[in-house]
Amino acid sequence: FTVPLPDIAASQTRSVVPKRNYIDELVQQKWQKLNLVPSPLADDATFLRRAYLDCIGTLPTPAEVREFLSDPSPDKREKWIDRILARGEYADFWALKWGDLLRNKRRGQKENQRGTYAFHAWIRNALATNMPYDKFVRNILAAQGTVDQHPPVIWYRTVRNLTAQTNDTAQLFLGTRINCAQCHHHPYEKWSQDDYYQLQAFFGRLGQKAGESSAEPAIFVRPEGSVRNPATGKIMQPRGLDGPANVIGEDEDPRQKLVDWMVAPDNPFFARAISNRIWAHFMSRGLVEPVDDMRVTNPPSNPELLDALAKDLIKNNFNLKQLIRTIMTSSTYQLSSEGNPNNLRDQQNYARAYPRRLIAEVLLDAVNQVAGIQESFAGLPKGTRAIQLPDESVGSYFLDVFGRPTRETPCECERPREANLAQALHLLNSTDLETKLRSAGGRLGALLKQKASDAAITEDLYLATFSRLPSVEEIRTVSDYVRGQADRRLAYEDLLWAMLNTKEFLFNH
């Protein structure tokens, strides 16, 4: 049930936020029902920084911020969203996200990198070419052959047995945690043991053997193979959750029938699961939260919106970029994160933007971009960015401290959202960070070499770090501080170090 906030003047609940698409229509209906007053739209600088970080995991450069802020066209936000979506970093950033979810890792054996790198390259290429999501999933779930023939077979190196194949498929692609039904039918939940093992039966004919190495499986389909419910001993017919039973011929791959059921327009799980996951990425919280726990006892905060997103995705042939564009162009996405007394405590109705910390890889790249320094990762070309790393085995103390996942599960919860003492101490005391800021070839070194004025240096640092121009008062405060120090360069190093420790830099807001 829904409990609205205390009555307030109707004029206050009537949103002045423009309705740009169906997202705004459905979200604003919920605001009116709850007496929620939304925050206004974010200013241009905040919007641009948010859009870059959310979509491509990259800060805009000072030149890009200046160009955007000086653009007088009324539709510049839409134009820049298209421009961001077309950048190469889109594939880099989303390949990182899918690498986490698909658990693409070397399983602790660094010499087994060929398959991991091949799968990462395949994922990145699929995103760069905007492969439809239904085709993307089919290529993974129904993978056959060797790494050389079809790199997604590496997924089966991680999900090696029937239990892992069933659980990961349900959690990742259907947004449903079904693993408890393996042992019992919980009285408050829907899925029974029969449901579990009928889903598992799609993998009953799957065979694996060593490819060129034991770490690179060759996947094939046997002409026969079955799954039994261990509680009853009954052989299970392959059947999707609430779906029809399937009769599989000897020359057929049951997994293809599984994907056929999943991607069908009337499937109640597939399109809703990925729509919820994409929504959560951009809005900081899923319509169903956690995003992979969609069940009767955990309903969406806005069911009509979740259904509309899924229908839109299906209508556009599972075009994820189109779904992302729809979300980003909505006024709901573009709201300010500055709350008002009415919506400050709102956590699930999107009456304001919810700030969140930058993830480890994005933060490291942002620090390097601000400092004007390229990172060096062992075994990879200099200049490789953190969002381009193929897996979690590439050594980096910074990434470990800031919570990159070990890719042990398909759950997004592997990335911690909370800060910790080690992170704070690293940002305050890291000799590595100090070296980057002091580098003669970095941003500060270049600005000082050009003999730039205090105002020009301050403006460049604010644009690089916060993606906005400094206020007159901020310029004056910085100039007064620098003039009061004996060493001008050291003063600016201290200033930049302090800026990197602010919430304005560490959070996407």
Side-chain angles (χ1 to χ4, degrees):
F1 57 90
T2 298
V3 180
L5 291 168
D7 288 341
I8 56 179
S11 60
Q12 289 182 268
T13 62
R14 197 170 297 119
S15 175
V16 295
V17 175
K19 296 178 182 178
R20 293 191 171 125
N21 55 36
Y22 66 85
I23 291 174
D24 299 326
E25 183 71 39
L26 293 169
V27 170
Q28 292 187 33
Q29 287 177 14
K30 191 71 180 290
W31 294 344
Q32 291 171 5
K33 186 181 295 185
L34 293 172
N35 291 338
L36 272 172
V37 178
S39 296
L41 294 178
D43 61 70
D44 280 346
T46 300
F47 161 77
L48 188 70
R49 185 178 193 269
R50 183 189 302 171
Y52 266 71
L53 289 171
D54 280 343
C55 193
I56 60 175
T58 302
L59 285 174
T61 65
E64 288 167 339
V65 177
R66 288 191 180 96
E67 181 184 354
F68 179 73
L69 295 180
S70 63
D71 186 346
S73 58
D75 62 342
K76 68 178 180 181
R77 294 194 180 191
E78 290 76 12
K79 291 191 301 185
W80 276 71
I81 288 170
D82 290 335
R83 180 169 163 176
I84 295 168
L85 282 166
R87 290 186 43 158
E89 294 97 332
Y90 170 85
D92 293 331
F93 180 54
W94 287 88
L96 171 69
K97 184 178 180 70
W98 279 106
D100 290 345
L101 297 174
L102 294 166
R103 297 202 267 165
N104 187 31
K105 57 182 296 185
R106 283 173 263 182
R107 300 176 63 83
Q109 303 177 54
K110 293 189 177 182
E111 65 273 14
N112 294 332
Q113 70 180 31
R114 192 178 80 113
T116 302
Y117 280 39
F119 191 20
H120 174 265
W122 181 89
I123 294 170
R124 189 194 179 284
N125 183 66
L127 294 163
T129 58
N130 199 26
M131 180 185 291
Y133 180 66
D134 57 337
K135 184 178 179 182
F136 177 78
V137 174
R138 188 181 295 274
N139 272 282
I140 295 167
L141 273 180
Q144 286 194 62
T146 64
V147 172
D148 292 326
Q149 296 167 331
H150 193 54
V153 297
I154 287 297
W155 187 61
Y156 284 99
R157 182 177 67 185
T158 299
V159 292
R160 299 183 71 88
N161 57 49
L162 288 171
T163 298
Q165 290 155 11
T166 307
N167 294 346
D168 277 43
T169 296
Q171 186 171 348
L172 182 52
F173 300 122
L174 301 175
T176 302
R177 300 179 183 181
I178 197 176
N179 48 307
C180 288
Q182 181 180 6
C183 302
H184 63 280
H185 185 178
H186 194 283
Y188 297 145
E189 298 300 340
K190 180 175 183 178
W191 308 119
S192 67
Q193 284 179 283
D194 275 355
D195 292 317
Y196 182 91
Y197 290 103
Q198 286 168 343
L199 182 64
Q200 188 174 98
F202 284 108
F203 301 96
R205 295 186 186 178
L206 193 65
Q208 294 192 39
K209 60 184 179 181
E212 291 192 15
S213 75
S214 59
E216 295 179 2
I219 302 299
F220 62 95
V221 178
R222 298 187 295 261
E224 58 184 20
S226 61
V227 167
R228 294 178 183 269
N229 182 333
T232 63
K234 180 182 176 182
I235 294 178
M236 296 287 100
Q237 282 292 107
R239 179 174 173 267
L241 303 177
D242 276 348
N246 289 266
V247 178
I248 312 295
E250 288 188 3
D251 59 343
E252 291 184 299
D253 182 350
R255 298 171 302 162
Q256 294 286 358
K257 293 290 184 74
L258 170 61
V259 181
D260 289 344
W261 165 75
M262 289 168 64
V263 305
D266 60 349
N267 184 287
F269 308 105
F270 184 70
R272 292 172 86 246
I274 187 59
S275 297
N276 186 54
R277 194 180 291 276
I278 297 294
W279 177 266
H281 173 85
F282 284 93
M283 304 300 294
S284 299
R285 177 184 172 88
L287 292 160
V288 175
E289 190 68 27
V291 295
D292 51 12
D293 193 14
M294 302 174 72
R295 51 189 161 85
V296 174
T297 52
N298 186 31
S301 59
N302 192 326
E304 296 80 10
L305 177 56
L306 182 55
D307 288 341
L309 291 167
K311 289 177 182 176
D312 191 29
L313 180 64
I314 294 169
K315 176 185 174 183
N316 287 290
N317 300 312
F318 293 96
N319 185 333
L320 291 184
K321 272 194 177 183
Q322 180 60 40
L323 178 65
I324 289 171
R325 187 184 189 281
T326 300
I327 293 172
M328 293 181 71
T329 54
S330 71
S331 293
T332 305
Y333 172 74
Q334 298 179 26
L335 293 180
S336 170
S337 60
E338 294 290 331
N340 58 50
N342 173 272
N343 70 24
L344 194 58
R345 296 178 66 183
D346 170 54
Q347 296 292 332
Q348 63 179 15
N349 295 293
Y350 313 101
R352 59 185 175 86
Y354 307 135
R356 63 273 197 197
R357 290 178 63 87
L358 303 185
I359 65 171
E361 294 85 349
V362 172
L363 180 57
L364 178 55
D365 285 345
V367 168
N368 290 335
Q369 183 173 325
V370 170
I373 298 297
Q374 292 183 328
E375 192 72 19
S376 294
F377 294 106
L380 293 170
K382 187 172 179 62
T384 298
R385 299 183 62 207
I387 63 169
Q388 296 174 316
L389 296 179
D391 75 340
E392 90 307 339
S393 296
V394 179
S396 170
Y397 177 76
F398 185 102
L399 296 180
D400 291 338
V401 166
F402 282 89
R404 67 171 166 182
T406 56
R407 299 185 172 180
E408 294 294 333
T409 75
C411 182
E412 304 217 24
C413 57
E414 271 204 50
R415 280 191 182 274
R417 294 187 179 186
E418 300 79 16
N420 58 49
L421 182 60
Q423 294 171 1
L425 290 175
H426 187 76
L427 287 174
L428 287 169
N429 301 307
S430 167
T431 55
D432 181 57
L433 182 55
E434 181 182 18
T435 300
K436 289 177 178 178
L437 298 183
R438 287 187 172 181
S439 172
R443 181 180 301 277
L444 268 179
L447 289 169
L448 293 169
K449 187 176 181 179
Q450 296 166 8
K451 300 186 188 305
S453 67
D454 288 341
I457 293 177
T458 303
E459 182 174 293
D460 188 88
L461 294 184
Y462 268 73
L463 288 168
T465 309
F466 301 144
S467 305
R468 66 171 175 86
L469 290 164
S471 66
V472 173
E473 182 180 353
E474 286 170 328
I475 292 176
R476 182 170 58 251
T477 300
V478 171
S479 295
D480 290 345
Y481 170 74
V482 172
R483 282 197 291 268
Q485 303 301 308
D487 187 324
R488 185 171 184 243
R489 180 188 177 91
L490 186 58
Y492 274 115
E493 288 176 7
D494 290 343
L495 169 67
L496 186 52
W497 203 331
M499 293 170 72
L500 295 179
N501 276 274
T502 62
K503 288 184 178 179
E504 186 172 1
F505 175 72
L506 296 172
F507 279 71
N508 187 359
H509 48 81

